[in-house]
Amino acid sequence: MMEKLYYQIPTLESCPATVLACEKKEEGFEVLLDRTVIYPEGGGQLSDKGFLNDTAVLHAREENELVWHKTEAPFEVGAKVIVRLDVETRRDHSVQHTGEHILSGIAKTLLDTANVGFHMAEDYVTIDLDKFLDDAQLEMLERAANLAVQRNIPVTVRVVDEHELENFRLRKQAKGLTGEIRIVEVGEADSCTCCGTHCAMSGEVGAIKITASAKYKGGTRIWFACGMRAVEASRREHTLLDALARRFSTKPEDVYDAVKKQGDEYAVLRAELKKRTETLFEMQTETLLKNAKSSKGIKVVVHAAQGLSAQELRAFSEKLLAGGKTVAALFGVNGGSASYLLARSADVSFSMRQACEAANALFNGKGGGRDDSAQGSAPIAGESAFLQAVSQFEGYLLRAVS
Ligand SMILES: [Zn+2]
């Protein structure tokens, strides 16, 4: 039977082993050994990484009690190898996993909510709890979990027979376990069946930081980071907050007020701009209608202006059409493209959808709409070519409405 040294001596970093089998896979090879220190993916925990001699072990998986090591190079059956563990990766996984035990155990005792899901990825870890926790409860949970870390409680593993299980009060018990079962305890903080790797003492977890939470299936999904991941998460947040504080020339603790103040000022300026733009449209409407060319009693207003949004084009067209017997073609130029709005008053029968097809062809644009109004957009290759096309479009409209 294969020796799983990662269970027998969790601190062991390397061991000699013999190659029992090596299979070619679609990508690389899978190597079976008589013993290993490399923990295979399982129980929600990621696989260890490591080396067979100097060849990297990229992943390990367990099947029928056998651990298969994924490598890029083959090994001869019977070859003697040294199995080495990537200690940093193991430490990171064990720290996240032990943190998960503490967080889940304390969530149960403190807030009577059960862990119903656990997922560890290379860059994040989540647990799902069966109750919704508000911000105050999350803060309470994080604080209590970190106090358990600070108390530096021993993390113990017992291997018991399946018939002995009923003698233990466990937070969680995996279903369908038979034979020898591993029970992991973090003092009074947690106790459950588990097959992962863990720290020896809770203090090794360093810190548990809840980084995000969301409502999930009637409960809460919590994203958290332990140990160096918690330090890195805090560093990223600090860097971001520091950049914001510099941008607003204020202290980090005053950033929220500064952002809120700017938002309030922006809302006032937008309202003021809208008012002034409307005044401008009214003045321009008068001039444009006075100078507009007509065909069969229908005024054709064609106008291009810088920086007008689709919403502003709409507001402008409503003013131009208010007096009736008018067709308006408005172009808002923004950088290298123009958006256009084609609209008619209710007493004009010519279809703006048809006019839009002509505009699409003339400006090499895309757009469409209804008989009373249509819109589109087109790239602008050069200013003079664009203005020439605008003038051509005016000619088209004058012919088309008659
Ligand atoms: Zn565990």
Side-chain angles (χ1 to χ4, degrees), residues 271-303:
E272 181 63 25
L273 178 65
K274 193 174 174 215
K275 224 163 73 184
R276 291 190 188 199
T277 306
E278 272 182 23
T279 308
L280 179 69
F281 286 165
E282 275 161 22
M283 289 164 68
Q284 287 186 319
T285 295
E286 210 179 307
T287 313
L288 286 169
L289 286 175
K290 202 165 80 185
N291 298 333
K293 291 175 186 164
S294 297
S295 176
K296 295 273 174 67
I298 298 170
K299 286 180 181 170
V300 172
V301 178
V302 178
H303 178 65

Side-chain angles (χ1 to χ4, degrees), residues 97 101 184 194 196 198:
H97 186 85
H101 274 277
V184 175
C194 186
H198 307 85

Side-chain angles (χ1 to χ4, degrees), residues 330-379:
L330 299 175
F331 296 82
V333 179
N334 286 291
S337 68
S339 51
Y340 40 91
L341 176 74
L342 314 174
R344 69 176 191 197
S345 54
D347 48 7
V348 174
S349 59
F350 176 55
S351 168
M352 292 300 104
R353 189 162 32 201
Q354 194 184 328
C356 195
E357 281 170 21
N360 291 343
L362 190 59
F363 292 94
N364 194 24
K366 280 183 190 163
R370 304 188 310 257
D371 283 336
D372 62 339
S373 148
Q375 54 203 357
S377 63

Side-chain angles (χ1 to χ4, degrees), residues 207-399:
I208 300 174
K209 180 180 165 68
I210 294 177
T211 53
S213 69
K215 281 185 183 169
Y216 183 73
K217 291 185 178 174
T220 312
R221 173 163 285 184
I222 292 175
W223 283 259
F224 65 96
C226 301
M228 287 311 289
R229 290 198 196 192
V231 174
E232 285 155 10
S234 295
R235 169 55 57 186
R236 281 195 299 275
E237 284 174 11
H238 172 79
T239 303
L240 183 63
L241 187 57
D242 199 47
L244 275 169
R246 283 169 198 268
R247 175 69 182 74
F248 284 90
S249 304
T250 188
K251 291 178 285 188
E253 56 268 36
D254 294 333
V255 164
Y256 176 80
D257 288 341
V259 171
K260 188 177 178 306
K261 185 166 166 249
Q262 193 184 65
D264 293 345
E265 285 171 359
Y266 176 70
V268 170
L269 288 173
R270 271 191 68 151
E272 181 63 25
L273 178 65
K274 193 174 174 215
K275 224 163 73 184
R276 291 190 188 199
T277 306
E278 272 182 23
T279 308
L280 179 69
F281 286 165
E282 275 161 22
M283 289 164 68
Q284 287 186 319
T285 295
E286 210 179 307
T287 313
L288 286 169
L289 286 175
K290 202 165 80 185
N291 298 333
K293 291 175 186 164
S294 297
S295 176
K296 295 273 174 67
I298 298 170
K299 286 180 181 170
V300 172
V301 178
V302 178
H303 178 65
Q306 288 286 339
L308 292 184
S309 66
Q311 209 178 359
E312 287 169 332
L313 292 179
R314 175 75 54 196
F316 199 175
S317 74
E318 281 167 12
K319 291 197 188 305
L320 286 163
L321 303 180
K325 289 278 175 195
T326 308
V327 169
L330 299 175
F331 296 82
V333 179
N334 286 291
S337 68
S339 51
Y340 40 91
L341 176 74
L342 314 174
R344 69 176 191 197
S345 54
D347 48 7
V348 174
S349 59
F350 176 55
S351 168
M352 292 300 104
R353 189 162 32 201
Q354 194 184 328
C356 195
E357 281 170 21
N360 291 343
L362 190 59
F363 292 94
N364 194 24
K366 280 183 190 163
R370 304 188 310 257
D371 283 336
D372 62 339
S373 148
Q375 54 203 357
S377 63
I380 296 178
E383 196 185 345
S384 63
F386 172 69
L387 292 176
Q388 202 182 342
V390 169
S391 168
Q392 279 178 351
F393 190 60
E394 184 182 34
Y396 158 79
L397 285 177
L398 285 163
R399 287 192 302 279

Side-chain angles (χ1 to χ4, degrees), residues 43 45 97-98 100-101 118 171 182 184 190 192-198:
Q45 191 170 335
H97 186 85
T98 308
E100 184 258 336
H101 274 277
F118 165 49
R171 168 178 62 81
R182 286 161 51 84
V184 175
D190 194 32
C192 69
T193 58
C194 186
C195 61
T197 62
H198 307 85

